[in-house]
């Protein structure tokens, strides 16, 4: 009975000092585009005293129950919410950078009471097809190159003809490292067009709500062979006519000479 009383007194004193609170909901993983905001929520039960946010192991913001948020930089701010007996701190990371990617941790300075999530900052690079229009002839096989520069991570590239996906066997995509931790990709599409169509190169990463696009219009020209044939016929007739006129000229010259000799 004495032991029970002692344990009761100890538990009661710890409760009074605020040792019974805990993290009820920790932060969740987030993937954002560089330059945008990232938000993480941490909810604790009643009795909390200090809440600390850490990014990649370094403290970036502190919240106390008595003084509220203690912000030391404009890039890391917080919003606080209270619902019933629970308190929620929302960490807002402004102007996110590729270097911000990593572990984001919520700590209430109690053993086994740290909750963490991971932030992934991605970079939306450029996408380019050099020619906006191309004219192709019948039975002509062409290669179209789509270039993606300065992405993180390397984008997933697909092709579409009009509104239909092109089979992956028709194109080859090569990835290469760029500068400052970014990535480049080069996708080459090989095909033999049979009609006029619009080809679209699409590059996507998780943080993009929809893929970035670059297009090229293929103009199918099946009149070129006929034009070549008519030009060849025209050239042949010119040559025949020149030969005939030359022959007639020689005959006429001989006739004039004969007549002149007889008259003399």
């Amino acid at each position: 009975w004495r032991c029970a009383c002692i344990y009761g007194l100890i538990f009661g004193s710890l409760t009074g000092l605020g040792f019974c609170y805990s993290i009820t909901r920790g932060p969740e993983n987030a993937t954002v585009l560089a330059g945008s905001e990232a938000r993480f929520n941490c909810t604790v039960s009643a009795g909390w005293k200090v809440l600390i946010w850490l990014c990649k192991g370094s403290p970036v913001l502190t919240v106390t129950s008595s003084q509220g948020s203690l912000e030391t930089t404009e890039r890391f701010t917080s919003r606080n919410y209270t619902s019933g007996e629970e308190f929620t701190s929302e960490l807002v990371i402004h102007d996110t950078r590729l270097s911000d990617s990593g572990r984001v941790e919520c700590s209430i300075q109690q053993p086994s009471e740290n909750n963490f999530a991971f932030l992934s900052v991605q970079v939306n690079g450029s996408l380019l097809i050099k020619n906006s229009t191309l004219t192709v002839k019948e039975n002509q096989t062409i290669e179209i190159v789509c270039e993606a520069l300065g992405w993180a991570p390397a984008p997933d590239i697909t092709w579409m003809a009009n509104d239909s996906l092109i089979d992956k066997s028709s194109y080859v995509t090569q990835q290469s490292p760029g500068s400052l931790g970014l990535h480049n990709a080069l996708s080459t599409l090989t095909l033999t067009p049979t009609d006029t169509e619009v080809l679209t190169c699409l590059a996507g990463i998780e943080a993009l709500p929809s893929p970035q696009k670059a297009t090229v219009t293929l103009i199918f020209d099946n009149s070129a062979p006929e034009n070549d044939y008519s030009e060849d016929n025209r050239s042949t007739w010119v040559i025949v006519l020149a030969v005939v006129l030359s022959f007639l000229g020689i005959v006429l010259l001989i006739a004039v000479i004969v007549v002149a000799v007889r008259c003399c």
Side-chain angles (χ1 to χ4, degrees):
W1 180 82
R2 289 181 179 179
C3 291
C5 288
I6 292 172
Y7 291 149
L9 289 173
I10 293 175
F11 180 78
S13 62
L14 292 179
T15 302
L17 292 173
F19 282 85
C20 65
Y21 62 87
S22 62
I23 296 176
T24 58
R25 287 187 300 276
E28 298 181 353
N29 296 340
T31 301
V32 300
L33 285 175
S36 63
E37 293 182 350
R39 297 174 179 268
F40 297 90
N41 288 330
C42 183
T43 301
V44 296
S45 59
W48 70 281
K49 300 299 180 183
V50 178
L51 186 152
I52 301 174
W53 285 101
L54 303 96
C55 290
K56 301 170 70 172
S58 299
V60 295
L61 189 142
T62 301
V63 185
T64 66
S65 59
S66 58
Q67 298 180 6
S69 300
L70 305 177
E71 300 173 356
T72 58
T73 173
E74 293 181 355
R75 288 195 62 232
F76 299 93
T77 62
S78 72
R79 294 181 178 179
N80 303 322
Y81 310 92
T82 301
S83 176
E85 295 185 350
E86 291 186 331
F87 171 83
T88 299
S89 173
E90 181 182 44
L91 173 68
V92 183
I93 305 176
H94 303 269
D95 188 24
T96 53
R97 305 164 185 172
L98 191 60
S99 58
D100 292 329
S101 297
R103 179 166 162 159
V104 177
E105 187 175 356
C106 171
S107 171
I108 56 174
Q109 295 185 314
Q110 289 202 83
S112 304
E113 281 298 339
N114 289 7
N115 275 236
F116 63 87
F118 288 95
L119 170 62
S120 174
V121 180
Q122 301 186 346
V123 179
N124 179 19
S126 63
L127 192 67
L128 174 67
I129 297 177
K130 292 184 178 179
N131 298 318
S132 58
T133 58
L134 286 173
T135 301
V136 293
K137 299 180 180 179
E138 190 174 2
N139 297 325
Q140 180 184 359
T141 299
I142 61 171
E143 290 186 347
I144 300 175
V145 178
C146 181
E147 191 173 20
L149 299 176
W151 292 71
D156 180 28
I157 294 183
T158 55
W159 287 84
M160 294 184 69
N162 295 330
D163 295 324
S164 301
L165 283 173
I166 297 177
D167 190 87
K168 291 185 177 181
S169 61
S170 300
Y171 55 90
V172 176
T173 302
Q174 297 175 325
Q175 299 177 356
S176 61
S179 59
L180 302 175
L182 301 178
H183 302 270
N184 303 325
L186 200 69
S187 185
T188 304
L189 173 66
T190 304
L191 75 165
T192 305
T194 58
D195 200 357
T196 297
E197 57 187 354
V198 177
L199 299 177
T200 305
C201 173
L202 302 95
I205 52 178
E206 183 182 353
L208 272 180
S210 59
Q212 192 177 154
K213 300 178 181 179
T215 61
V216 56
T217 301
L218 295 185
I219 301 175
F220 186 70
D221 184 8
N222 57 2
S223 63
E226 296 179 3
N227 289 341
D228 293 343
Y229 177 75
S230 60
E231 288 179 3
D232 291 343
N233 278 349
R234 198 176 296 113
S235 300
T236 302
W237 279 107
V238 169
I239 294 173
V240 171
L241 184 60
V243 172
V244 171
L245 289 177
S246 299
F247 178 75
L248 291 176
I250 294 172
V251 172
L252 182 60
L253 179 61
I254 293 174
V256 170
I257 295 173
V258 170
V259 171
V261 169
R262 288 186 176 180
C263 290
C264 293

